[in-house]
Amino acid sequence: MEDVLAVLGQQLQCDRVFLYLRSPDFQVGRVPVCWRKQPSVPIVYDPTWKLEASDLAKADPMFAAALNTQPSIFVEDVETASPEVLNREFERQTFGHRALVHAHLSLEQKLWGILQACVFDTPRTWSQRDRQLIEQAVAWLTPVAMTYVRAHHDRFPTLAAQN
């Protein structure tokens, strides 16, 4: 997965690309892989599976859209995006990027992961080529995400019970 994210980041000319994987049945997730263009770009990484915050969909409209298996979201500028699309303050505090792709890895109305590519410092227009590349990456990564999550499935009931 690291190599795929590296190629994707280079092709998209992004600063960072990461993959959030989750169990739709237990609402636990983690970021097992993150590619960065350079070491000064903040890393997003979770070494262990964690319960998703119960209010995450309320705080983050993009996560709510992903849970509802809506189409992937291409944000050209976090600073000018509509509040219906994203929570500016949440994005600033949590991720710090200026432009992003929030690509939803969904199958049969279940969200298995989110592929996020982003740019810091400047807005970014996402071209038709960028959108096609993301679409291809989502098609390839969705079954990989499902396999990865199912391989760790035995840990989730214990985590869910802690809630």
Side-chain angles (χ1 to χ4, degrees), residues 74-78 80-81 98-100 122-126 131:
F74 294 80
V75 177
E76 295 186 356
D77 190 350
V78 168
T80 61
R98 184 70 186 266
L100 71 137
T122 62
R124 162 74 183 270
T125 299
W126 301 100
R131 293 168 186 268

Side-chain angles (χ1 to χ4, degrees), residues 3 13 18 32 43 48 64 67-70 74 79 88-89 93 100 106 113 118-119 125-126 136 147 151-152:
D3 292 341
Q13 298 176 355
F18 69 84
I43 193 165
T48 59
L67 285 174
N68 289 321
T69 63
Q70 293 177 2
F74 294 80
E79 296 303 316
R88 254 182 243 129
E89 196 55 36
Q93 290 177 359
L100 71 137
S106 304
C118 70
V119 175
T125 299
W126 301 100
Q136 290 170 342
T147 300
H152 294 89

Side-chain angles (χ1 to χ4, degrees), residues 1-132:
M1 283 193 282
E2 289 177 24
D3 292 341
V4 170
L5 295 191
V7 168
L8 193 56
Q10 292 161 3
Q11 289 296 309
L12 291 170
Q13 298 176 355
C14 288
D15 294 321
R16 177 177 70 202
V17 181
F18 69 84
L19 190 59
Y20 174 72
L21 301 179
R22 69 182 299 272
S23 165
D25 298 324
F26 292 98
Q27 292 78 48
V28 298
R30 70 178 288 230
V31 177
V33 61
C34 177
W35 172 85
R36 300 176 297 160
K37 185 177 183 177
Q38 55 198 27
S40 62
V41 172
I43 193 165
V44 177
Y45 172 73
D46 293 316
T48 59
W49 293 93
K50 297 177 185 150
L51 281 171
E52 294 171 346
S54 59
D55 63 346
L56 183 56
K58 193 173 204 172
D60 182 0
M62 288 192 295
F63 190 72
L67 285 174
N68 289 321
T69 63
Q70 293 177 2
S72 297
I73 301 167
F74 294 80
V75 177
E76 295 186 356
D77 190 350
V78 168
E79 296 303 316
T80 61
S82 162
E84 288 81 32
V85 173
L86 62 77
N87 176 336
R88 254 182 243 129
E89 196 55 36
F90 177 83
E91 294 301 316
R92 274 190 214 119
Q93 290 177 359
T94 308
F95 299 109
H97 44 230
R98 184 70 186 266
L100 71 137
V101 176
H102 199 265
H104 310 151
L105 281 58
S106 304
L107 186 66
E108 297 175 357
Q109 300 299 99
K110 290 185 177 187
L111 177 66
W112 293 90
I114 297 168
L115 173 67
Q116 189 177 100
C118 70
V119 175
F120 289 81
D121 302 326
T122 62
R124 162 74 183 270
T125 299
W126 301 100
S127 70
Q128 188 59 37
R129 179 190 168 278
D130 297 336
R131 293 168 186 268
Q132 289 172 337

